[in-house]
């Protein structure tokens, strides 16, 4: 069997859901289990209405709920045709009645707890999974909606619950396998689960990819397909280099390094349960289903190119902290990181000398307050309009002299920080933001003009 997960845009409207039906039909012989997100933007809207209700604004909450009801009714009407829709209409209607009841309750109390938040948020996937299951059936596929709250068992850390894998795997086998064996297409909502006591939970925003991995790992899937609206991972940003190429296969570690730069495609950490079981994960494009996408594998195959990808992140600020009096003293770095911790500002790149440290942070963090705090320890300077450039590839581990080649190409560039180490598969440096386009273009020309056809499209 395989798992096919479709994200919010892939089930965002009638045409998108029809495409899903076509794509699933083509995979029928592989015994798919389908996992869907809520329709695009629905989770945000549900959280907005939950907050409105929590602040006592019942009217706004119910108005937003009406809009959501209309969108689902309209889509269902278009997908199902009159006869089926009439049947489905009352089922959907019951869900919206209970959502409204919930919103009224929240606004009467005027308090929104994480537990109630999950109750509201779960409607997105509950509705989309029913809708898509009905649409698949209307397309002649034997599809059955499986309530994820009966299968995905989690702890009670509401809004970011952690699955209890043993219990979950047992339940998945009990609920899903019989359907597969009778030739049906089980269809589940991502993102949602329930505690052992049956209280609805959610597993964190963007959690449907994680759900797909949980289902795939629990049922020993042959592969997991994550259907999105891009062709897969690219050698670099095509807006900077129009000749950027698709990466056919990338290791989990490489993909994890790149996740920080291109959050649009999935965050690999969410598919870890699958990778740990050596189940390959594919990123595929539901608008271009014949494209073979990107495969994320536990280990990368040999590649003749040094790198898999070049990425850049702009809007970075460098914070320089220098304390000559700290020469040979211990505890300097700790006191600096403590300050970042107190201000809850994450640090990305670090480089140090005996008496100074340079760190990068996102420019939209509140840096002046941090700097004032750090100034009690040392001399502090900070400077915005910087960018992090990162080259990723497993070959960095093995092949000597790669850093020399990279910086040789950039000998006319002012480089502010350099970092290689830690994961051993990335070479990271910090430059002026304005230099990003030509730096990426030049490196891409040098390192990606001849591509290993086994790895790149
Ligand atoms: N619908 C959820 C969200 O928007 C989960 C997902 O789409 O992955 O966060
Ligand atoms: Mg997503």
């Amino acid at each position: 069997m395989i798992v096919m997960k479709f994200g919010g845009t892939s089930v965002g409207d009638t045409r998108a859901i029809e495409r899903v039906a076509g794509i699933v039909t083509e995979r029928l012989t592989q015994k798919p289990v389908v996992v869907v997100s809520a329709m695009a933007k629905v989770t945000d809207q549900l959280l907005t209405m939950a907050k409105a209700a929590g602040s006592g604004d019942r009217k706004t909450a119910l108005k937003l709920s009406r809009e959501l009801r209309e969108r689902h009714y309209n889509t269902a009407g278009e997908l199902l045709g009159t006869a089926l829709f009439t049947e489905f209409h009352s089922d959907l209607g019951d869900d919206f009645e209970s959502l409204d009841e919930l919103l009224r309750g929240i606004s009467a109390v005027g308090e929104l707890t994480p537990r109630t938040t999950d109750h509201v948020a779960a409607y997105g996937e509950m509705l989309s999974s029913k809708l898509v299951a009905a649409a698949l059936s209307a397309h002649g596929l034997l599809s059955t909606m499986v309530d994820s709250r009966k299968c995905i068992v989690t702890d009670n850390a509401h809004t970011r619950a952690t699955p209890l894998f043993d219990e979950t795997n047992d339940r998945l086998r009990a609920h899903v396998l019989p359907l597969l064996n009778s030739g049906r297409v089980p269809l589940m909502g991502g993102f949602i689960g329930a505690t052992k006591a049956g209280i609805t939970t959610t597993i964190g925003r963007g959690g449907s990819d994680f759900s797909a991995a949980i289902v795939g790992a629990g049922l020993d899937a042959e592969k997991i397909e994550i259907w999105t609206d891009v062709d897969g991972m690219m050698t670099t940003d095509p807006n900077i280099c129009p000749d950027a190429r698709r990466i056919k296969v990338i290791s989990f570690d490489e993909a994890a390094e790149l996740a920080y730069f291109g959050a649009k495609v999935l965050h690999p950490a969410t598919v870890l349960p699958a990778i740990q079981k050596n189940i390959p994960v594919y990123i595929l494009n539901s608008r271009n289903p014949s494209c073979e996408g990107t495969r994320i594998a536990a280990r990368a195959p040999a590649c003749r190119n040094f790198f898999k990808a070049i990425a850049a992140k702009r809007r970075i600020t460098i914070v320089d902290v220098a304390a000559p009096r700290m020469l040979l003293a211990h505890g300097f770095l700790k006191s600096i990181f403590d300050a970042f911790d107190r201000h809850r500002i994450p640090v990305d790149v670090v480089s140090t000398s005996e008496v100074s440290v340079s760190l990068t942070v996102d420019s939209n963090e509140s840096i002046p307050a941090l700097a004032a705090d750090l100034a009690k320890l040392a001399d502090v300077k900070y400077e915005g309009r910087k960018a992090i450039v990162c080259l990723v590839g497993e070959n960095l581990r093995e092949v000597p002299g790669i850093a020399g080649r990279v910086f040789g190409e950039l000998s006319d560039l002012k480089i502010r920080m350099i970092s290689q180490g830690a994961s051993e598969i990335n070479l990271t440096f910090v430059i002026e933001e304005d230099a990003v386009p030509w730096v990426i273009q030049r490196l891409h020309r040098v390192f990606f003009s001849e591509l290993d056809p086994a790895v790149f499209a």
Side-chain angles (χ1 to χ4, degrees):
M1 54 84 57
I2 64 170
V3 173
M4 305 175 76
K5 179 261 171 177
F6 294 90
T9 52
S10 300
V11 296
D13 56 32
T14 304
R15 284 197 36 212
I17 297 173
E18 271 165 354
R19 273 196 297 272
V20 169
I23 294 168
V24 174
T25 306
E26 294 216 329
R27 301 281 204 271
L28 269 190
T29 54
Q30 300 181 54
K31 292 187 169 263
V33 174
V34 178
V35 175
V36 294
S37 290
M39 294 176 81
K41 305 224 163 62
V42 166
T43 307
D44 288 333
Q45 288 158 358
L46 286 163
L47 293 175
T48 306
M49 60 186 92
K51 281 197 194 102
S55 68
D57 186 355
R58 194 180 69 152
K59 251 181 99 183
T60 303
L62 292 176
K63 179 174 159 276
L64 290 171
S65 164
R66 254 194 318 278
E67 286 168 18
L68 207 63
R69 187 193 290 242
E70 250 157 58
R71 178 168 170 203
H72 284 83
Y73 277 176
N74 289 341
T75 313
E78 287 166 3
L79 283 166
L80 302 181
T82 326
L84 276 176
F85 179 55
T86 318
E87 222 174 277
F88 191 64
H89 187 270
S90 70
D91 191 10
L92 222 51
D94 290 346
D95 283 339
F96 279 105
E97 285 313 313
S98 66
L99 172 61
D100 287 353
E101 202 175 311
L102 184 56
L103 293 170
R104 280 190 209 100
I106 296 169
S107 50
V109 181
E111 187 198 11
L112 182 67
T113 62
R115 176 168 160 168
T116 351
T117 303
D118 276 351
H119 264 93
V120 177
Y123 275 89
E125 272 73 8
M126 271 154 52
L127 292 162
S128 67
S129 55
K130 280 188 187 170
L131 182 58
V132 177
L136 293 191
S137 299
H139 269 77
L141 289 161
L142 289 169
S143 180
T144 303
M145 197 274 281
V146 177
D147 189 341
S148 300
R149 295 168 300 175
K150 298 214 161 74
C151 299
I152 311 292
V153 186
T154 73
D155 64 13
N156 64 0
H158 285 283
T159 74
R160 44 177 180 78
T162 304
L164 309 174
F165 284 97
D166 291 340
E167 183 80 29
T168 297
N169 294 346
D170 288 345
R171 301 250 199 125
L172 280 168
R173 280 191 287 268
H175 285 91
V176 178
L177 288 184
L179 292 170
L180 276 179
N181 292 337
S182 66
R184 304 193 71 92
V185 178
L187 198 138
M188 304 174 63
F191 181 53
I192 58 180
T195 63
K196 270 189 192 163
I199 311 291
T200 301
T201 54
T202 63
I203 58 175
R205 291 304 308 271
S208 294
D209 296 332
F210 191 26
S211 301
I214 296 166
V215 174
L219 297 174
D220 288 312
E222 279 140 50
K223 62 174 171 172
I224 296 174
E225 298 180 341
I226 305 285
W227 290 86
T228 62
D229 53 4
V230 294
D231 277 346
M233 295 193 166
M234 306 289 286
T235 51
T236 197
D237 180 352
N239 295 317
I240 298 177
C241 284
D243 57 347
R245 301 278 281 278
R246 177 167 53 86
I247 306 169
K248 290 202 284 193
V249 52
I250 192 164
S251 74
F252 174 79
D253 289 340
E254 291 169 331
E257 291 290 344
L258 287 171
Y260 167 72
F261 294 92
K264 257 207 93 185
V265 201
L266 95 163
H267 196 297
T270 59
V271 297
L272 193 57
I275 300 293
Q276 282 166 338
K277 288 192 100 176
N278 240 320
I279 301 170
V281 175
Y282 290 79
I283 298 165
L284 297 161
N285 187 352
S286 62
R287 291 173 205 275
N288 183 21
S290 61
C291 175
E292 63 176 35
T294 298
R295 175 164 65 92
I296 302 176
R299 253 173 294 285
C303 177
R304 288 208 298 272
N305 291 77
F306 286 149
F307 300 111
K308 293 286 176 16
I310 312 175
K313 186 161 185 172
R314 294 177 231 221
R315 290 189 54 75
I316 294 293
T317 293
I318 296 185
V319 181
D320 289 315
V321 187
R325 66 177 184 280
M326 292 305 288
L327 185 65
L328 301 180
H330 65 83
F332 176 47
L333 285 176
K334 179 177 187 307
S335 52
I336 289 173
F337 280 109
D338 282 346
F340 280 84
D341 191 39
R342 276 196 300 279
H343 292 265
R344 298 184 168 279
I345 296 182
V347 172
D348 293 314
V349 186
V350 183
S351 62
T352 64
S353 76
E354 181 57 40
V355 292
S356 71
V357 191
S358 299
L359 314 99
T360 68
V361 300
D362 249 45
S363 296
N364 44 21
E365 299 287 355
S366 50
I367 297 162
L370 167 78
D373 209 2
L374 285 169
K376 294 174 199 153
L377 306 165
D379 302 329
V380 183
K381 279 186 307 194
Y382 60 92
E383 214 182 310
R385 306 189 61 80
K386 302 290 175 281
I388 301 174
V389 176
C390 176
L391 293 111
V392 174
E394 300 268 2
N395 279 341
L396 271 167
R397 260 198 258 266
E398 323 290 342
V399 187
I402 297 185
R405 294 255 339 244
V406 171
F407 295 120
E409 293 297 333
L410 302 174
S411 53
D412 48 346
L413 176 73
K414 193 169 157 209
I415 294 174
R416 294 292 303 264
M417 291 168 66
I418 297 177
S419 153
Q420 187 192 355
S423 75
E424 295 186 350
I425 61 166
N426 77 70
L427 177 60
T428 301
F429 52 94
V430 180
I431 60 175
E432 299 298 324
E433 197 171 59
D434 298 343
V436 166
W438 73 260
V439 167
I440 299 264
Q441 282 156 8
R442 190 184 294 179
L443 293 175
H444 199 266
R445 197 175 328 118
V446 172
F447 292 102
F448 292 90
S449 50
E450 272 170 56
L451 293 174
D452 186 336
V455 176
F456 302 96

